[in-house]
Amino acid sequence: MAAKIRVLIVDDIAETRENVRKLLQFESDIEVVGTARTGREGIQLSQEVNPDVVLMDINMPDVDGITATETIRAQSPHIQVVILSVQSDQNYMRRAMLAGARDFLTKPPMGDELISAIKRAGEMAHVEREKGAKQQMIMSASAGPGGFGGYQQAARGKVILVYSPKGGTGCTTVAVNLAIALNNEDTRSVLIDGNLQFGDIAIFVNEQGKNTIVDIAPRVDDLDGDILDDILIKHEASGIRILAAPQRPEMAEKVSPDQFVKVLEFMQKIYSYIVVDTSSILTEVILSAIDMSDVVVLITTQEIPSIKNSRLILDLLTTMGIGKERVIFAMNRYDRRFAITPERVGENLKHEIAVAIPLDEKTAINAVNRGVPFMLDNKSQPIGKGIFSLAETVRARLISLENEGEGSAVKR
Ligand SMILES: Nc1ncnc2c1ncn2[C@@H]1O[C@H](COP(=O)(O)OP(=O)(O)O)[C@@H](O)[C@H]1O
Ligand SMILES: [Mg+2]
């Protein structure tokens, strides 16, 4: 026997609540599990009783039915809302649908009309619930034993690629510490070594995984949480996960651009932030990764060769169709004793330098040599504050890109 459809009635008028309840009482597969008198109560009760279907009035004291619908759908996407309203006008209907309502009936509803609307919505709720449960299973499997427990990634994770057109400018230093700064309990980061020939991320964190990206590449089409869990390095001190580069330079060619991109895409299902370190040599793998990145953090220093190369890269990115808003230009090893300031470089290249991370050789070099990223034990130093500020810039940029995306999306 199929599970009953659990219904919550939200209406400020007692008589309406009673009438609706009466209409439903002889339906063997529908059960009224609660009634609420205001939008706010409706939101609260829908959390508590977890209904399949909410019958929602529009005009109510405190929170109105449209807003309540929006909130309930955001909190529990499987719950389906059927709006019941005296207003039959198109505008209301449109607003209700935009808020995420599944159906719209005018009051007072006919018995069979109401019942068939509830049954349709109930079926949808069961399907959505199952989908949600499956998703949850995949997610917790990915987290695996000793992993992230029930951690679930709701939205698609963001790919943040760190690139410097000149070696030795601190690309890896920034990638490692940025991944740590972005990582927290709700938004997990994974750090991926895209420098396939001479990747040194594992050294930066003093870890030696036996597995690397070479072990994942041939399996990209049937990746699952367990495989991933086996191969990623768990960096206990910071909580981030790491996908190391191949152990030997000649193994780099075992990873195709297509495979690399698929790995990133899989990671997006599980992690909030996928931080990719790169080599200054633009390989096909790196170009493909740039193409799918949400933002590129471009690193320069105050040195002319580095600035010159940054100009070339900014041009290349434009040619590749990577808009300016997707590029966060940062200066590393910034030393105020030199006349070339971030402002001047930004003006010169017509791309503002968003963050300057100060030169601090003692902290930076000590960190690498000990294999302890400075964001773990020296984050209050100016260099650490620089990384924090970069992380904030990245977060803010991702949000504004997301909002922009929504704004330009075709309106329903
Ligand atoms: N802000 C900084 N101040 C001082 N030294 C730095 C800074 N950032 C990085 N370094 C040092 O520069 C060297 C090169 O850094 P690395 O991250 O390996 O660069 P890349 O990946 O661009 O080749 C390392 O010794 C690192 O400790
Ligand atoms: Mg490097």
Side-chain angles (χ1 to χ4, degrees):
M1 200 186 82
K4 281 192 180 187
I5 302 170
R6 300 161 53 80
V7 175
L8 170 69
I9 303 169
V10 186
D11 201 303
D12 57 334
I13 298 168
E15 199 190 331
T16 314
R17 292 197 299 272
E18 229 10 74
N19 287 342
V20 171
R21 189 199 271 284
K22 275 189 197 140
L23 276 177
L24 300 179
Q25 67 187 350
F26 298 114
E27 291 303 310
S28 56
D29 45 1
I30 295 176
E31 183 186 3
V32 175
V33 292
T35 54
R37 292 163 304 172
T38 70
R40 185 169 298 152
E41 250 183 51
I43 295 169
Q44 197 184 339
L45 259 185
S46 68
Q47 289 265 300
E48 285 168 23
V49 303
N50 196 12
D52 297 304
V53 179
V54 177
L55 298 178
M56 180 81 79
D57 183 26
I58 291 191
N59 290 322
M60 285 181 291
D62 67 48
V63 177
D64 69 82
I66 303 270
T67 312
T69 300
E70 230 162 29
T71 311
I72 291 171
R73 297 276 303 151
Q75 285 171 346
S76 325
H78 58 274
I79 298 180
Q80 305 296 315
V81 179
V82 174
I83 300 266
L84 290 178
S85 173
V86 281
Q87 282 101 347
S88 59
D89 94 48
Q90 285 291 316
N91 201 21
Y92 267 97
M93 202 180 292
R94 197 175 153 272
R95 280 181 51 209
M97 294 304 167
L98 283 177
R102 169 134 303 273
D103 220 328
F104 190 101
L105 303 176
T106 41
K107 270 189 195 171
M110 312 269 278
D112 50 353
E113 179 192 40
L114 179 66
I115 289 160
S116 61
I118 290 177
K119 286 187 178 166
R120 275 197 306 271
E123 214 166 285
M124 183 58 70
H126 286 153
V127 171
E128 293 293 316
R129 227 185 252 282
E130 236 161 73
K131 250 200 244 164
K134 268 198 197 129
Q135 191 83 353
Q136 186 119 26
M137 259 165 55
I138 295 171
M139 294 311 172
S140 44
S142 311
F148 293 146
Y151 172 65
Q152 213 196 115
Q153 165 65 35
R156 191 185 63 92
K158 304 296 185 194
V159 177
I160 301 138
L161 180 136
V162 185
Y163 178 76
S164 160
K166 202 173 174 315
T169 49
C171 188
T172 304
T173 303
V174 170
V176 169
N177 286 285
L178 177 63
I180 294 175
L182 288 171
N183 181 63
N184 65 44
E185 240 169 74
D186 302 320
T187 57
R188 293 291 184 174
S189 358
V190 60
L191 177 61
I192 300 188
D193 205 331
N195 183 349
L196 295 181
Q197 281 198 306
F198 296 103
D200 39 18
I201 280 183
I203 305 210
F204 269 67
V205 294
N206 196 21
E207 295 273 357
Q208 244 204 340
K210 55 180 189 326
N211 295 313
T212 72
I213 187 156
V214 173
D215 303 286
I216 274 193
R219 296 146 93 176
V220 281
D221 289 317
D222 45 21
L223 273 184
D224 65 38
D226 289 338
I227 299 183
L228 203 62
D229 210 53
D230 257 9
I231 287 174
L232 294 185
I233 297 174
K234 297 180 185 62
H235 187 235
E236 301 294 347
S238 66
I240 65 168
R241 297 292 185 265
I242 294 162
L243 182 56
Q247 263 136 5
R248 307 177 51 79
E250 65 271 20
M251 291 164 97
E253 62 198 46
K254 292 191 190 264
V255 183
S256 73
D258 179 51
Q259 289 169 332
F260 194 77
V261 165
K262 282 186 175 156
V263 169
L264 297 186
E265 283 168 350
F266 188 78
M267 301 283 191
Q268 286 183 295
K269 297 185 194 162
I270 301 166
Y271 297 92
S272 299
Y273 301 110
I274 297 99
V275 179
V276 186
D277 183 29
T278 55
S279 62
S280 48
I281 296 170
L282 280 173
T283 59
E284 284 299 321
V285 163
I286 292 175
L287 285 169
S288 310
I290 288 179
D291 228 8
M292 68 161 301
S293 294
D294 292 279
V295 294
V296 174
V297 175
L298 176 63
I299 311 281
T300 185
T301 63
Q302 282 166 299
E303 290 163 301
I304 298 293
S306 167
I307 298 169
K308 180 215 87 184
N309 288 356
S310 293
R311 181 198 297 280
L312 296 177
I313 285 299
L314 286 169
D315 288 347
L316 178 69
L317 290 174
T318 310
T319 316
M320 285 173 72
I322 313 275
K324 231 177 154 170
E325 65 289 348
R326 276 168 68 195
V327 181
I328 297 177
F329 198 16
M331 182 179 275
N332 188 30
R333 312 177 69 100
Y334 172 52
D335 183 342
R336 53 178 83 245
R337 288 173 303 177
F338 298 110
I340 299 182
T341 61
E343 290 75 24
R344 278 186 59 195
V345 176
E347 267 166 39
N348 202 275
L349 300 195
K350 305 207 167 39
H351 195 120
E352 189 195 1
I353 292 207
V355 183
I357 302 162
L359 177 82
D360 179 352
E361 278 178 326
K362 189 162 160 255
T363 305
I365 296 176
N366 257 329
V368 193
N369 288 343
R370 287 167 50 227
V372 182
F374 56 77
M375 282 318 270
L376 289 177
D377 59 353
N378 260 318
K379 57 185 173 201
S380 53
Q381 295 292 322
I383 189 171
K385 289 190 178 142
I387 295 285
F388 262 128
S389 145
L390 176 61
E392 280 317 302
T393 307
V394 167
R395 280 202 189 94
R397 189 67 63 88
L398 288 171
I399 291 170
S400 83
L401 282 167
E402 187 131 315
N403 291 341
E404 232 169 72
E406 268 166 26
S408 63
V410 186
K411 293 270 187 324
R412 275 195 283 171

